[in-house]
Amino acid sequence: MARHRANRISTAAPDAVVHDVTCSIGTELAALTELTDRVLGGDLDPVRLAMARHNLGGIALVRADALTPVTRDAVVLADPGRRGGGRRRFDPADYQPALDRLLEVYAGRDLVVKAAPGIDFDKIWMLGFQGEIEITSWRDSVREACLWSPGLAAPGVRRRATILDRGEQLTDVDPDDCDVRPAGRWIIDPDGAVVRAGLVRQYATRHGLWQLDPDIAYLSGDRLPDGIRGFEVLEELSYSEKRLRQALVAHDCGALEILVRGVRDVQADPDGLRRRLRLRGRLRLSVVITRIGSGTAARPIAFVCQPSR
């Protein structure tokens, strides 16, 4: 993640000094120095600054509060503390330093801020942030969010998903004219960064897929995109535990992967469902349980599948 961020900063502002105002032990600075020597680190903690000095050699470091600017034209990079008392802080106002104060102090500056991947987008917009929110994943795990001020963001982009291990990026200005229709041969569960960034339709359009339901993130297609894990549909049925168990026994299932969206009782306890099914077969299968439709027309559906890997 640090190297990806360094590449984006150096591409967007190739001649700028980059000031990491919460440099800690120097992880971000180490990635930046692979691309430029125009860097500066700052932190309030003298012990962490000493560690950064040991790790980085001759890079300029200064003891300073992140909310007291000591540079004028540099790109500002901040990684606010998101833990306190051994617990995660989910409200950006509780970050150290608080996100609203960072945005206020560096208003009009080129600014990059790391944040928790579960950050509430609406709260960020309510703070007056006008740039881009990027969600990054690595090997099917959503790792972080990153805020890019307008001067560093792509024109018109508000949301971006970056899948680092695939080298793939999607944004909210990409085409999103995918269909909504019944399942084809494959069901695809998009990467978590895509789902978190709200770019499921863009992902579907790019890969020739369609949605099963306009409000559910599962996608379908008759061809599995290269390199993407999918679930080949063996049987579709109206969901109930009894019907599902009968179908799985008929398919000789002994080990089951359960994917759920939109069906609350199963989503709350998939491990409990797996235990109750008491499967004794030979095959490893997957079941995708989801909701089709809304309101009184909503119905739970189960797809018994063979995973591609």
Side-chain angles (χ1 to χ4, degrees), residues 54-67:
H54 172 78
N55 292 335
L56 299 169
I59 289 177
L61 299 171
V62 59
R63 187 180 181 194
D65 187 331
L67 296 178

Side-chain angles (χ1 to χ4, degrees), residues 26-205:
T27 303
E28 298 285 338
L29 289 171
L32 284 163
T33 56
E34 295 179 9
L35 301 170
T36 178
D37 58 0
R38 296 168 61 81
V39 296
L40 169 68
D43 203 288
L44 260 182
D45 188 332
V47 174
R48 291 186 178 276
L49 276 177
M51 295 170 71
R53 192 167 289 112
H54 172 78
N55 292 335
L56 299 169
I59 289 177
L61 299 171
V62 59
R63 187 180 181 194
D65 187 331
L67 296 178
T68 303
V70 296
T71 58
R72 186 172 298 171
D73 299 318
V75 174
V76 174
L77 171 62
D79 181 9
R82 296 182 290 279
R83 284 184 179 275
R87 303 179 64 182
R88 291 184 183 275
R89 295 184 172 111
F90 294 101
D91 188 338
D94 294 332
Y95 288 2
Q96 293 295 325
L99 182 56
D100 56 345
R101 291 286 293 126
L102 276 170
L103 296 178
E104 178 185 346
V105 167
Y106 294 104
R109 297 274 300 270
D110 285 339
L111 175 66
V112 184
V113 184
K114 289 174 61 177
I119 196 167
D120 186 331
F121 288 15
D122 289 339
K123 285 187 176 181
I124 303 306
W125 308 137
M126 288 172 63
L127 292 175
F129 180 69
Q130 297 295 316
E132 171 194 314
I133 301 177
E134 178 183 29
I135 305 295
T136 304
S137 69
W138 172 257
R139 294 183 178 176
D140 299 321
S141 175
V142 179
R143 299 300 182 89
E144 68 179 30
C146 193
L147 279 56
W148 297 85
S149 63
L152 300 172
V157 173
R158 301 300 301 278
R159 292 173 285 119
R160 180 186 301 268
T162 298
I163 308 170
L164 287 175
D165 51 304
R166 290 181 54 81
E168 182 173 10
Q169 295 191 0
L170 298 103
T171 74
D172 56 341
V173 299
D174 292 344
D176 66 348
D177 52 344
C178 71
D179 292 335
V180 178
R181 47 192 164 109
R185 179 180 175 185
W186 295 93
I187 291 176
I188 291 92
D189 185 13
D191 185 274
V194 173
V195 177
R196 181 71 190 90
L199 300 174
V200 171
R201 290 183 60 83
Q202 287 83 351
Y203 184 89
T205 303

Side-chain angles (χ1 to χ4, degrees), residues 289-303:
I289 302 173
T290 191
R291 172 191 54 73
I292 303 296
S294 59
T296 57
R299 55 194 176 95
I301 297 290
F303 299 93

Side-chain angles (χ1 to χ4, degrees), residues 246-282:
Q246 290 172 341
L248 291 169
V249 169
H251 286 283
D252 197 23
C253 179
L256 185 65
E257 174 187 17
I258 300 174
L259 294 87
V260 192
R261 281 199 179 102
V263 181
R264 291 184 179 178
D265 56 336
V266 183
Q267 200 162 338
D269 188 19
D271 290 333
L273 172 61
R274 188 181 294 106
R275 288 191 299 271
R276 292 192 300 272
L277 290 170
R278 301 187 305 277
L279 301 171
R280 298 291 186 269
R282 297 178 298 107

Side-chain angles (χ1 to χ4, degrees), residues 174-251:
D174 292 344
D176 66 348
D177 52 344
C178 71
D179 292 335
V180 178
R181 47 192 164 109
R185 179 180 175 185
W186 295 93
I187 291 176
I188 291 92
D189 185 13
D191 185 274
V194 173
V195 177
R196 181 71 190 90
L199 300 174
V200 171
R201 290 183 60 83
Q202 287 83 351
Y203 184 89
T205 303
R206 175 177 295 182
H207 291 289
L209 306 172
W210 60 85
Q211 290 183 287
L212 298 174
D213 182 277
D215 298 318
I216 298 292
Y218 290 130
L219 302 174
S220 188
D222 293 323
R223 182 187 64 82
L224 186 64
D226 292 342
I228 292 177
R229 186 174 188 247
F231 304 89
E232 188 172 14
V233 177
L234 303 177
E235 184 176 348
E236 175 182 343
L237 59 143
S238 295
Y239 172 72
S240 75
E241 284 193 25
K242 180 178 178 180
R243 281 191 289 266
L244 178 59
R245 187 173 192 282
Q246 290 172 341
L248 291 169
V249 169
H251 286 283

